[in-house]
Amino acid sequence: MTTVTPQVSQSADPRKRTGSIVWHVFAIAVLCVVLYPVVWVIGAAFKPGKTIVGSAQLFPTSPIMDNIKGLGDGIAGISISSFFLNSLFYAGMAVVGVVISSSLTAYAFSKIPFKGRKFFFAMMIGTLLLPYHVLLIPQYVMFQKLDLINTYVPLLAGKFLATEAFFVFLMVQFMRGLPRELDEAAKLDGCGHLRTYWSIVLPLSRPALITSAIFTFINAWNDFMGPLIYLNEPSKYTVSLGLMMFRDQQGISDYGGQIAMAMVALIPVVAFFMAFQRYLIDGMATSGLK
Amino acid sequence: MSLVKDATGATSLADKNTSVRPVAHRRRGRRDNLAGYLFMSPWLAGFLLLTAGPMIASLYYAFTNYNLFAPPQWVGFDNFTAMFDDPRWQKSVQVTLKYVVIGTPLKLALALAVALLLNQSRRGQGLYRAAFYAPSLIGASVSVGFVWRAIFSDNAVVDKGLGALGLNLGGWIGDPDLILYSLVALTVWQFGAPMVIFLAGLKQVPKELYEAAAVDGAGPLRRFWNITLPMISPVLFFNVLLESIHSFQIFGSAYVVSNTFCGPADATLVYTCYLYQKGFQQSQMGFASAMAWMLLLAVALVTAVLFWSQKKWVHYEEDVK
């Protein structure tokens, strides 16, 4: 993708070309092993339920649609689309919350020289390594007292209140890298902080915002523990919980519907990933290093 | 969504304030202070309400008997002594340590190996990188838990593959001795995130070092050991820290992959599974809080030991030059 130019000179030398072929063969072989489970789920979704586990074949010789069609019946009277809409709501609102609250906080930490900034920044970094489980029970007790169990508020509160320090940190790193002259010029022109944030820093921070948005979406989509603890009415279940319901209702060894549903549930994540993987991977690398 | 209102309410206040032009430096300093606090108010509220407050509460609960319906009763260190005497707690510690100690090094070794492979300029590098990263993102989903259950079952692909190699182990999911290793395989499979960080680190190693070493006649293994490894040790340190802390907190995959609750025979009763069972299935919030604090102490200890060991094996650039 990125290295077209050195390739030209490489292919001129036959020994280097063999090396290149060996490299590609090896890399693809490793990749086949790594991606095997992902491809397997696609094939398995079209196999008869009883043969899914026993057959070594990746794809069925005569694919059937029964598993997929069966999803139309829903689970325990709840349609599959209900789980998807719930997950979409959760993940969508999580993205909105994280992007707004984390970017505001990151602007404060990176661009406003206020008293106590270093102290609060250190506190924020400190929460990066804090196991979530320490907060789990008191948070549950608090939301229970507020009568908010079985709503999405406990799942989203943290997103709107920038408690995911990783994203604040990622945005701070990015905003610090923006040229100082820009916001100084804005200040001279009489821009206040809100104006500078909105018209200068935010548009320039797009890569960091997009990275955070995708990570948040995928994390919320995959989230299992949060919904498991806070949601108890099947009509409010997300896809993760819907999948578990499916498994419990069908019995643990009948894989037909389960695997079909698992495949369908993976589609949004895989699509999101394919569309934005460049941002994601670069964001991952920079947040880890600087 | 009162929370949205909270965030936007804060910003409209900031707007009113910052639209006043600075007259004196003193005023600008004060204005910055106010703006700073307003801009970080979502985080500050979250920190107080959802982090600091709960931490204090959880420390208090750890010393009480609390079932959510009656007020907490102070019991001193009873939860902690009961915990150490509890064979299932001991089992959960054992299971978790096994998972962390076996899984983390394997995952990092694979991540580094693939990063070294991808660190050569080849056609389609970006595509390879993305493809290897993919499992890291989907690995946490219940869907992949299902897939894992299916491919590690009795008579399924892994079983048959190993059988063909003469290793008749049977299914992993139903076997208390093996099921934990299917979880280890799942975490190793998600090597993409540390791989990307390794790759970024490898790109920073100056090419001249390798050239100089090659002139001195150092073979590839020696170059890896004496140049690559020391040069990427800060990145290695970061990955070890992040991955081990992350592994301590495994929950979803243990819950989903197992057919019975984190078992058979408690074989995948990882620490957080037991914490969940105590807190949310048996309403022993005090005991669960005490468990959470032990987890926090363990994570803090691992972090401290890693930071302490840092000066022995992590080389920052100043040392090299």
Side-chain angles (χ1 to χ4, degrees), chain A residues 91-153:
Chain A
M93 290 300 278
V95 168
V96 173
V98 164
V99 168
I100 294 176
S101 65
S102 304
S103 66
L104 283 168
T105 306
Y107 179 84
F109 284 142
S110 59
K111 296 288 180 191
I112 309 177
F114 64 96
K115 244 188 214 151
R117 173 165 79 161
K118 277 197 179 139
F119 170 76
F120 287 114
F121 187 69
M123 297 294 265
M124 194 276 294
I125 293 296
T127 62
L128 263 176
L129 297 177
L130 185 71
Y132 172 64
H133 304 86
V134 181
L135 314 173
L136 193 66
I137 285 161
Q139 283 187 5
Y140 182 84
V141 172
M142 180 177 85
F143 287 118
Q144 207 243 8
K145 286 193 172 140
L146 293 170
D147 208 16
L148 289 169
I149 303 296
N150 203 24
T151 71
Y152 279 83
V153 177

Side-chain angles (χ1 to χ4, degrees), chain B residues 208-229:
Chain B
E208 306 89 69
L209 287 179
Y210 292 112
E211 282 156 17
V215 170
D216 290 346
L221 212 62
R222 215 185 151 79
R223 275 182 304 213
F224 172 75
W225 198 253
N226 289 338
I227 300 172
T228 313
L229 221 46

Side-chain angles (χ1 to χ4, degrees), chain B residues 36-52:
Chain B
Y37 282 94
L38 287 172
F39 269 86
M40 73 161 189
S41 59
W43 172 79
L44 193 59
F47 178 72
L48 296 175
L49 286 173
L50 299 173
T51 308

